[in-house]
Amino acid sequence: MAKIRILPDALASQVAAGEVVERPAALVRELVENSLDAGAHHIEVHAQRGGIAMIRIVDDGSGMDREDAMLCLERHATSKIRTKEDLGAIHTFGFRGEALPSIASVSRFRLATREKSALVGTEIEVNGGKLVAVRDHGGAPGTVIEARSLFFNVPARRKFLRTENTEFAHVEQQLRLHAIANPQTAFTLTHNGELVLHLPATRDMLERIRGMVGDELASRLLKVEETTVQGVTVSGYIGGPGMSRSNRQMQTTYLNGRPIESASISYGLREGYHTALMKGQYPVTFLFIQMDPHAFDVNVHPAKKEVRFHDGHSVRDAISRSVSHTLENAAKLPTGHAPARAIPAAASTQAVPSSRQEQFAMPVPASSAPLRNIAPAPAATSAPRTQPFAPAVSHRAADVLARIATERSTPAIEPQAPEAAAPPEAQEEEVEAPQEPQAPAKAAPSEPPEYRIIGVLQKLYVLMEGKEGLVLMDQHAAHERVNFEKFRRAIESGGVPCQRLLLPVTLQTTPRDADLLKQNMASLNRLGIEIEPFGPNIFKVETLPAFLKTDDPAAWLDQVIEELSSLSTKSSSLRLSEDAIATIACRASVKSNDVLSIPEMQALLKDLFACEMPYCCPHGRPTLVQISTSELERKFGRRAPG
Ligand code: ADP
Ligand code: MG
């Protein structure tokens, strides 16, 4: 009574097809990959009714001879790998030999192909997996593949298809993914006969990106200079601080040209953006990773969307460093967002974006910089920091401390070390056209814009009138940012100035918190908190950071320890990064309901704009939000929407 049966081939293909081709966009993925593998210079994608009625891909690649054309419809027929060893290092998009038979088994399928040198090509028709016809084909060299009536013979699958618009949106997104990674290939996309995308071939990646996302966004991208760390090469373009999206759609990442998603990459991005990215937001990236194909496995996901890195840590590290390095460099340019090229002499007056998506994430002007990860390198990343990533501002010398103490109202252009902060690009420019010493891109704090303070809302939001409309400052978040940068500058130059307590505070802690404090003692000391063991689970605190104004040091310390310990439960080691500790110390140092006087608000605003990254607090939340006059006008019906 055998129950197990070998499935007839056609049925097996249909089952397999469900995994490979779950929707029209998946066909596009597989077929475009095939065309790219075949060396096509021009790829056309035509869709009807979201791709459900028809997807047709036309390429000018190598084409196939008749034998291969027949063979490619057999399951596991592939020209791309031969041995098990090949599977360990895949250089092509395809390798399973699954796509074509799968697609052919669930559609009315037509393949027409011709090699360049062949007199005549081959046309094959397959209907729901059944071979219907093979004939000569007289078309141009290259390959045309057409799949009509997707899932016509698998109603269960068809039910999962969404509306035509949704399906087409996926098709378009899929094509964009490939188009970005392959600027040297021209792409055309039509829907129901109408041209949707036309991307001519170009050598310039940014040009290709611009063709898809438009001038405005493209002009604000930052170039990630190609760098290799531990065998991981990273390059591409990324959005600057404040440029983010609420979903991952614009977070595109590629591994050896293949669009992929990976937790290691996402972590790396997050780490690299650090506080430049608001919680819950995703960066805009077009990031390319190149690695030895032996160093990862693509054969883990049916749609080949995910990969498994043998050493995810180094990938994460390389990305994080590239991103933070890029953000740092950009921050030193007067133009802020301009891809590191021409540097106008005038300091930028930053434009506040009007686009609705970004009204809560203001752009960052010249002087703002993302935070460097100043945490002591954990054991696993103790590899020597490669030259390009040397902390850019570390040699800002001891005058930093003085700067903290003194007013930072003067847009400090310290003539003694202009090269310290000037990006390499700026220097090159200078060689060509020597300029007056004032211009070179020194990370000078920006002048606060002309804001007129109107009042305070809920003891928290400072309302201000700006050129563009209403501006709100979250005074709590602003304070945190200001304190945080003070902290960090001081740490960079050797330690935070501290105030000695009249009476040392003794703290009784749990054993776990005691371990936590011991692990982080050195960092705490550097932050101006002189703490030392004073018995089992007891600590003595002698000093606190100088800027801290508190009448209850013990309560403040309790709060800090509590936050540290809640943070440490989320991380695998008890040792926390110095940034994290600084962030917590800052948060604890700000009282939210402080009523500020107008001069205090003005001072805060000035301090905020003296920060390297004024537009968000160390947790990435915005410090300033603008509601533009035009938006108000729309809301009050004084202006047509749009
Ligand atoms: P895979 O891409 O995994 O090899 P496919 O089923 O997608 O499997 O394709 C099977 C084979 O058909 C490929 O290995 C390739 O040799 C050939 N092929 C598919 N599409 C094209 C194309 N557009 N141009 C030339 N050859 C193609
Ligand atoms: Mg393929």
Side-chain angles (χ1 to χ4, degrees):
M1 285 283 280
K3 280 191 200 141
I4 297 179
R5 240 165 242 135
I6 306 284
L7 294 176
D9 238 22
L11 187 53
S13 300
Q14 284 174 11
V15 172
E19 302 212 346
V20 186
V21 291
E22 72 280 18
R23 62 189 340 165
L27 266 71
V28 171
R29 178 189 67 233
E30 294 295 331
L31 298 176
V32 169
E33 283 184 2
N34 280 347
S35 297
L36 289 167
D37 279 344
H41 298 293
H42 192 132
I43 300 175
E44 288 171 27
V45 177
H46 303 280
Q48 297 278 355
R49 304 183 44 202
I52 303 166
M54 186 211 73
I55 289 278
R56 180 167 62 237
I57 313 264
V58 183
D59 74 43
D60 60 353
S62 63
M64 288 175 266
D65 65 14
R66 182 151 306 180
E67 197 186 339
D68 277 350
M70 297 295 291
L71 209 57
C72 78
L73 296 169
E74 301 278 334
R75 293 188 63 206
H76 307 302
T78 176
S79 57
K80 298 170 193 173
I81 58 170
R82 280 171 202 283
T83 64
K84 210 172 116 211
E85 284 65 45
D86 291 342
L87 196 55
I90 288 165
H91 297 271
T92 49
F93 289 113
F95 54 85
R96 293 191 185 123
E98 257 176 1
L100 293 185
S102 296
I103 296 169
S105 73
V106 293
S107 68
R108 303 184 202 281
F109 181 92
R110 191 174 73 93
L111 160 75
T113 185
R114 195 184 126 196
E115 290 181 301
K116 286 201 175 65
S117 55
L119 279 180
V120 66
T122 304
E123 181 172 349
I124 300 176
E125 260 178 57
V126 181
N127 215 339
K130 276 200 269 324
L131 186 67
V132 184
V134 180
R135 49 178 101 84
D136 284 351
H137 162 69
T143 303
V144 180
I145 289 178
E146 190 179 277
R148 291 182 173 272
S149 318
L150 185 62
F151 298 138
F152 78 97
N153 55 345
V154 207
R157 281 260 145 214
R158 205 169 48 223
K159 273 200 300 225
F160 286 103
L161 293 176
R162 311 286 291 276
T163 63
E164 290 172 13
N165 283 344
T166 305
E167 291 302 339
F168 185 72
H170 285 281
V171 165
E172 194 179 341
Q173 167 75 359
Q174 186 63 49
L175 193 69
R176 283 174 190 276
L177 281 177
H178 282 301
I180 289 165
N182 298 281
Q184 72 297 341
T185 307
F187 287 89
T188 305
L189 173 66
T190 71
H191 190 208
N192 299 334
E194 277 177 32
L195 186 68
V196 177
L197 266 182
H198 177 67
L199 300 164
T202 166
R203 291 223 177 118
D204 181 3
M205 173 77 65
L206 188 60
E207 181 66 34
R208 170 55 56 93
I209 294 173
R210 183 175 298 124
M212 280 179 300
V213 301
D215 281 344
E216 208 272 331
L217 197 150
S219 69
R220 292 168 49 209
L221 291 172
L222 309 173
K223 180 163 196 215
V224 178
E225 295 296 344
E226 186 175 304
T227 338
T228 307
V229 181
Q230 295 174 50
V232 185
T233 303
V234 182
S235 64
Y237 290 87
I238 60 171
M243 192 187 212
S244 64
R245 293 290 183 275
S246 55
N247 60 40
R248 263 183 228 264
Q249 282 241 326
M250 293 282 260
Q251 180 184 318
T252 47
T253 49
Y254 298 83
L255 178 60
N256 294 359
R258 184 195 303 279
I260 53 144
E261 286 162 20
S262 126
S264 302
I265 294 179
S266 292
Y267 280 133
L269 289 174
R270 224 153 243 293
E271 238 165 55
Y273 271 93
H274 197 48
T275 66
L277 199 64
M278 221 196 299
K279 258 216 182 97
Q281 292 283 99
Y282 298 91
V284 175
T285 68
F286 304 94
L287 207 65
F288 296 86
I289 301 154
Q290 296 287 336
M291 278 173 83
D292 178 353
H294 289 96
F296 59 88
D297 187 1
V298 271
N299 194 19
V300 291
H301 189 270
K304 294 175 274 185
K305 252 199 265 182
E306 282 164 26
V307 296
R308 189 175 297 138
F309 292 109
H310 299 325
D311 178 8
H313 207 95
S314 57
V315 174
R316 172 177 172 170
D317 203 40
I319 290 177
S320 147
R321 287 174 182 209
S322 272
V323 168
S324 63
H325 180 65
T326 304
L327 295 172
E328 273 167 28
N329 266 355
K332 286 180 248 141
L333 288 173
T335 43
H337 283 297
R341 263 194 226 124
I343 298 165
S348 76
T349 46
Q350 94 286 359
V352 178
S354 53
S355 115
R356 205 164 296 179
Q357 284 165 317
E358 280 169 312
Q359 79 193 33
F360 294 109
M362 301 182 112
V364 177
S367 60
S368 51
L371 306 175
R372 278 164 300 288
N373 206 337
I374 50 175
T381 55
S382 60
R385 282 203 141 201
T386 45
Q387 194 45 39
F389 295 102
V393 210
S394 60
H395 31 221
R396 243 206 255 150
D399 61 352
V400 180
L401 261 181
R403 275 240 315 266
I404 296 165
T406 57
E407 282 226 328
R408 270 179 284 140
S409 55
T410 37
I413 296 165
E414 287 122 313
Q416 67 268 40
E419 71 281 19
E425 294 80 1
Q427 289 171 20
E428 278 164 26
E429 293 269 319
E430 271 177 77
V431 174
E432 287 206 335
Q435 285 173 339
E436 304 205 349
Q438 30 83 294
K442 171 70 193 168
S446 47
E447 283 288 350
E450 297 278 302
Y451 288 151
R452 186 176 67 82
I453 295 177
I454 303 168
V456 183
L457 185 69
Q458 294 178 342
K459 293 190 197 155
L460 179 57
Y461 303 109
V462 180
L463 306 182
M464 299 175 293
E465 181 184 344
K467 265 208 207 83
E468 319 268 335
L470 181 66
V471 179
L472 293 96
M473 173 170 69
D474 178 330
Q475 69 175 56
H476 184 90
H479 246 132
E480 266 183 62
R481 166 56 70 190
V482 170
N483 283 353
F484 179 76
E485 293 208 3
K486 274 186 197 168
F487 246 171
R488 213 191 52 222
R489 284 208 182 88
I491 292 167
E492 270 169 11
S493 59
V496 176
C498 54
Q499 49 179 327
R500 195 152 291 276
L501 294 169
L502 285 178
L503 289 173
V505 175
T506 24
L507 296 166
Q508 172 83 50
T509 68
T510 64
R512 190 177 182 281
D513 286 352
D515 284 346
L516 179 70
L517 287 175
K518 280 183 201 147
Q519 292 272 342
N520 296 289
M521 197 113 70
S523 303
L524 289 166
N525 283 339
R526 273 152 58 77
L527 292 168
I529 307 170
E530 215 171 87
I531 182 167
E532 55 186 38
F534 196 58
N537 306 329
I538 302 176
F539 291 83
K540 188 171 71 175
V541 180
E542 304 257 16
T543 69
L544 291 183
F547 69 83
L548 187 74
K549 291 184 193 72
T550 174
D551 19 342
D552 191 350
W556 185 79
L557 284 162
D558 276 345
Q559 201 184 336
V560 170
I561 292 169
E562 198 183 305
E563 291 213 38
L564 288 177
S565 104
S566 81
L567 185 72
S568 74
T569 54
K570 287 184 217 128
S571 86
S572 52
S573 99
L574 269 184
R575 169 92 52 86
L576 301 170
S577 82
E578 222 153 79
D579 264 11
I581 299 177
T583 310
I584 285 171
C586 290
R587 174 154 56 191
S589 68
V590 180
K591 289 186 229 103
S592 45
N593 297 334
D594 273 352
V595 181
L596 300 183
S597 65
I598 296 269
E600 277 172 328
M601 289 179 215
Q602 278 162 343
L604 177 58
L605 194 63
K606 198 158 86 181
D607 281 352
L608 182 64
F609 275 91
C611 283
E612 293 189 341
M613 197 185 301
Y615 292 103
C616 56
C617 81
H619 308 91
R621 274 186 281 106
T623 53
L624 293 163
V625 162
Q626 163 167 291
I627 301 172
S628 67
T629 314
S630 59
E631 203 181 331
L632 286 174
E633 282 170 350
R634 263 200 305 277
K635 288 216 160 92
F636 284 106
R638 291 176 176 275
R639 196 199 245 205

